[in-house]
Amino acid sequence: MTKKLTLIATTAMGLEAIAADELRKLGYTDLQVENGKITFQGEPKDICRTALWLRTTERIKVKIGEFKATSFDALFEQTKALPWGDYLPANAEFPVSGKSIKSELYSVPDCQSIVKKAIVESLKNKYHIDWFTEDGPFFKIEVTLRKNIATILIDASGAMHKRGYRYLHGEAPLRETLAAALIYLTKWTPDRPFVDPFCGSGTLPIEAALIGQNIAPGFNREYISEDWPWIPKSDWDEARLEVEDLARYDQQLNILGSDIDHKMVELASHNAMEAGFGDLIKFKQMQAADFTTREEYGCMVGNPPYGERMSDIETIRKVCGQLGQIYKENPTWSFYFISSFAEFETCFGKKASKKRKLYNGRIRTDYYQYYGKRPPRQSEFEHNE
């Protein structure tokens, strides 16, 4: 009998709707979308598919149980009552991490310790042994107490923004999951030029190439749940076969990343090579103001320097003004910039067609979207308006 699971895809604040749309495109329905997470039903094979395919999700977690707990006794007994033997083999390594928000049980170390002891007691009943070596498959248990409701989860994916290509990054990296979301929110299609004039370590151009060739973001990495005995190896094999079958490696792309810093350009080129796009993405040392093109209907997407990354406000104002000039000179192009700089639109010289609040790590930013003229014929791969 196939194990039925309640799965949770966690996201950064502001990306929930985009991640939910990704899940629907993968065929998942009946989604429960809340702040920072999407809950859905699945089977073990769905851990494999979602971990490999979701671009804007931070982690995939398995929900083991949820209950009210206002005392340590309640936390212990209800945790112990969960079917741990269905999930953890006798040799499982299972550290417990926790957090408590607005709850009577506010001591996180105590909560972690009690959950650990409760799981051990449950496993003793299952396996009829008193000592657990914890030298087998790894299960990262999480207990979250929020307003006295305890939720017990197992992390099935690890950090999904770690795609396996960015071994090196600059001082203010854009997380891969956010970069993918920024691209999804544009009008870019793989048959149109894509430019990032502040490419840093290359995250936006590389994520654009992955999207453009429909390559799953997890194709190049391993997952902690690959060693779990209740996920058959055949599930991972089938999921990876699907990834291979659906990739469009022959899709031509026109992607350029540039940066004023030659060290960043070298770094981005290295990361693109690691991702398998060494010959596909062009990188160039250049300041944003020097961008010129004869091509039409392209997309420029960028993370211009701002307060947290560069203290010289006058320089930031100047850069924003230069971007506004590029916009004026290329009426068929669409422009998208993520920035926490409050004066962005003023310095750019035009109000955005659309503005969306997003978080870059803990920094609150706005995503300024300037729509260019529509191409004469709409591509079938267009993401969204």
Side-chain angles (χ1 to χ4, degrees), residues 165-166 173-186 188 194-212 255-258 268 271 277 281 283 300-304 309 336-338 367:
Y165 64 74
R166 194 170 75 177
L174 195 65
R175 189 168 269 203
E176 292 84 343
T177 42
L178 177 58
L182 297 184
I183 298 161
Y184 274 141
L185 289 168
T186 72
W188 182 68
F194 180 98
V195 174
D196 174 7
F198 311 99
C199 72
S201 56
T203 307
L204 274 164
I206 294 168
E207 290 296 319
L210 288 168
I211 290 169
I255 297 175
L256 169 68
S258 65
N271 288 337
F277 298 125
I281 303 172
F283 289 102
M300 181 178 282
V301 185
N303 176 26
R309 194 166 74 169
Y336 305 83
F337 301 106
I338 184 170
Y367 192 38

Side-chain angles (χ1 to χ4, degrees), residues 101-171:
I101 301 141
K102 296 180 181 172
S103 297
E104 288 179 43
L105 300 180
Y106 56 82
S107 170
V108 172
D110 285 340
C111 291
Q112 290 172 178
S113 174
I114 282 158
V115 166
K116 178 82 177 187
K117 284 174 185 167
I119 297 171
V120 168
E121 288 304 311
S122 175
L123 294 179
K124 281 180 182 177
N125 293 337
K126 168 78 174 182
Y127 296 113
H128 308 294
I129 53 176
D130 289 327
W131 180 254
F132 295 90
T133 55
E134 293 203 44
D135 57 1
F138 186 81
F139 294 81
K140 185 170 176 267
I141 314 287
E142 299 175 8
V143 52
T144 300
L145 283 140
R146 188 184 297 273
K147 295 182 180 174
N148 296 322
I149 301 297
T151 307
I152 314 279
L153 307 162
I154 307 177
D155 182 351
S157 64
M160 286 165 62
H161 74 272
K162 294 178 179 175
R163 314 285 207 223
Y165 64 74
R166 194 170 75 177
Y167 295 104
L168 305 163
H169 58 74
E171 62 180 29

